[in-house]
């Protein structure tokens, strides 16, 4: 995926349900999982699934029922999102981003030490 189209909070919720599945899920399974936390009707869920397909985040496979398969893993999505954020707001500089987090007190010195250690290990 070259350019990530933004996805809404509701679309991201659908993606988390699909990523949390151990294998591709059909629309019935997705709707059951959505209903555990949301009062969405059937058409809302289908609209969100179709938007995610149109945006390139999902593909569907016909296995008698349609099964929805993520195009990106959760980790690939998070990496692409982080890269997009760095480019859009910090001129591509991870250092500027971390500096901004530190200045806003959203990151502790201990967390920075953990990050540095992780980078040294190549994680």
């Amino acid at each position: 995926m070259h350019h990530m189209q933004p996805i809404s909070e509701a679309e991201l919720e659908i993606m988390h349900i699909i990523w949390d599945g151990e294998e591709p899920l059909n629309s019935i399974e997705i709707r059951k999982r959505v209903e555990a936390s949301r009062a969405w009707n059937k058409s809302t869920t289908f609209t969100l699934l179709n938007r995610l397909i149109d945006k390139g985040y999902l593909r569907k496979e016909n296995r008698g029922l349609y099964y929805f398969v993520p195009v990106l893993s959760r980790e690939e999505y998070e990496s692409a999102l982080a890269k997009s954020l760095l480019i859009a707001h910090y001129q591509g500089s991870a250092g500027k981003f971390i500096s901004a987090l530190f200045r806003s007190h959203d990151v502790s010195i201990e967390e920075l030490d953990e990050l540095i250690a992780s980078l040294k290990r190549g994680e």
Side-chain angles (χ1 to χ4, degrees):
M1 183 173 287
H2 293 52
H3 172 69
M4 287 182 49
Q5 292 189 47
I7 61 176
S8 69
E9 195 173 312
E11 292 166 340
L12 186 56
E13 189 169 337
I14 295 288
M15 289 303 298
H16 283 297
I17 288 169
I18 292 169
W19 284 322
D20 289 342
E22 294 184 16
E23 54 190 42
L25 300 172
N26 65 46
S27 59
I28 296 167
E29 294 165 330
I30 293 168
R31 275 195 10 252
K32 284 181 186 175
R33 294 176 189 202
V34 165
E35 288 171 4
S37 62
R38 296 282 193 159
W40 293 340
N41 62 34
K42 181 179 178 179
S43 65
T44 300
T45 303
F46 282 116
T47 297
L48 293 170
L49 287 168
N50 284 320
R51 282 185 192 162
L52 287 164
I53 290 168
D54 292 344
K55 291 179 179 183
Y57 287 91
L58 289 178
R59 63 183 170 80
K60 64 182 176 180
E61 297 177 353
N62 189 345
R63 303 178 187 179
L65 293 173
Y66 283 111
Y67 282 78
F68 296 86
V69 181
V71 172
L72 297 174
S73 69
R74 184 187 321 254
E75 293 77 17
E76 290 168 327
Y77 169 77
E78 290 170 349
S79 292
L81 185 63
K83 183 176 182 177
S84 176
L85 176 75
L86 286 177
I87 291 168
H89 300 284
Y90 297 95
Q91 297 80 43
S93 170
K96 287 181 182 181
F97 174 70
I98 291 169
S99 177
L101 281 175
F102 188 70
R103 283 192 315 270
S104 68
H105 305 290
D106 289 337
V107 176
S108 69
I109 296 217
E110 293 79 19
E111 288 172 315
L112 283 175
D113 287 341
E114 288 174 26
L115 175 62
I116 290 167
S118 176
L119 290 172
K120 286 181 179 176
R121 290 190 303 269
E123 295 177 359

